[in-house]
Amino acid sequence: NAKTRFGIVPTKGGKTRWLDMPKGYEYVAQVSWQKGHTPTFTLVDRLQKKLSVWADGTAEPLATREDAAWIDVDESSPRFTPEGALLWQSDVERLELRTKQGSRSVNPPDVRYQKLIGTSKDGTEVFFLGGKRPTASSVFVAKASSVMPVTDEAKNVTDAILSPDGRHMAVFTTGLDAWRCASCQAPRTS
């Protein structure tokens, strides 16, 4: 088995700072370094039943998830909001927002979470792919007290990309054998 270690090297050169990684995790599922935040590491144990999100310099994981059968890794999360809250898939169909004050589910119980698309530039809106039925999906936008669909579930959205400034979105749908891409103004809910 391969042994992995991580080091940070200044862009102008210099000595490598090797990171202390937690024991008990054999697989590195994801590494991310968002602007304004420390590097994060999504680690999975050998049996792939436990997943933890760690940040450089933390003694405890930012988030942990366990499953008796198998952990599926969500490639679109974890991700930080501009204010530093952590968005991550806390359960198979649940997107969670973690702050220093606590955590809350972003999607309501009747909307299955599928993929994190992004946040508005100010972080007040969270865009995600989800659906009320297992065979359909839409883009949803969540604010502090509400969640609403942005696209029609009948269109069966397969993916979406949000621009870095959170103002425009490319939405991909599938028909019988063709892909369509439509650029739309990301909705304002206020």
Side-chain angles (χ1 to χ4, degrees), residues 2-3 14 23 44-45 50 52-53 72 76 82 88 92 97-98 113-114 123 125 129 140 156 177 182 187:
K3 293 200 177 206
K23 304 278 186 239
V44 182
D45 71 346
K50 184 176 181 180
S52 290
V53 177
D72 276 326
S76 66
W88 85 298
V92 175
L97 179 72
R98 286 188 168 215
Y113 165 76
Q114 296 168 349
E125 298 168 322
L129 196 60
F140 287 83
N156 199 27
D177 61 355

Side-chain angles (χ1 to χ4, degrees), residues 25-53:
Y25 296 93
E26 287 81 12
Y27 299 115
V28 179
Q30 187 181 59
V31 177
S32 175
W33 197 344
Q34 285 180 252
K35 185 177 182 179
H37 300 282
T38 62
T40 58
F41 307 88
T42 302
L43 307 174
V44 182
D45 71 346
R46 183 165 185 76
L47 298 176
Q48 298 182 20
K49 294 182 178 188
K50 184 176 181 180
L51 176 146
S52 290
V53 177

Side-chain angles (χ1 to χ4, degrees), residues 61-82:
L62 301 176
T64 300
R65 189 172 121 213
E66 294 187 48
D67 191 289
W70 179 267
I71 292 281
D72 276 326
V73 177
D74 176 15
E75 294 179 14
S76 66
S77 76
R79 197 177 306 174
F80 289 102
T81 66

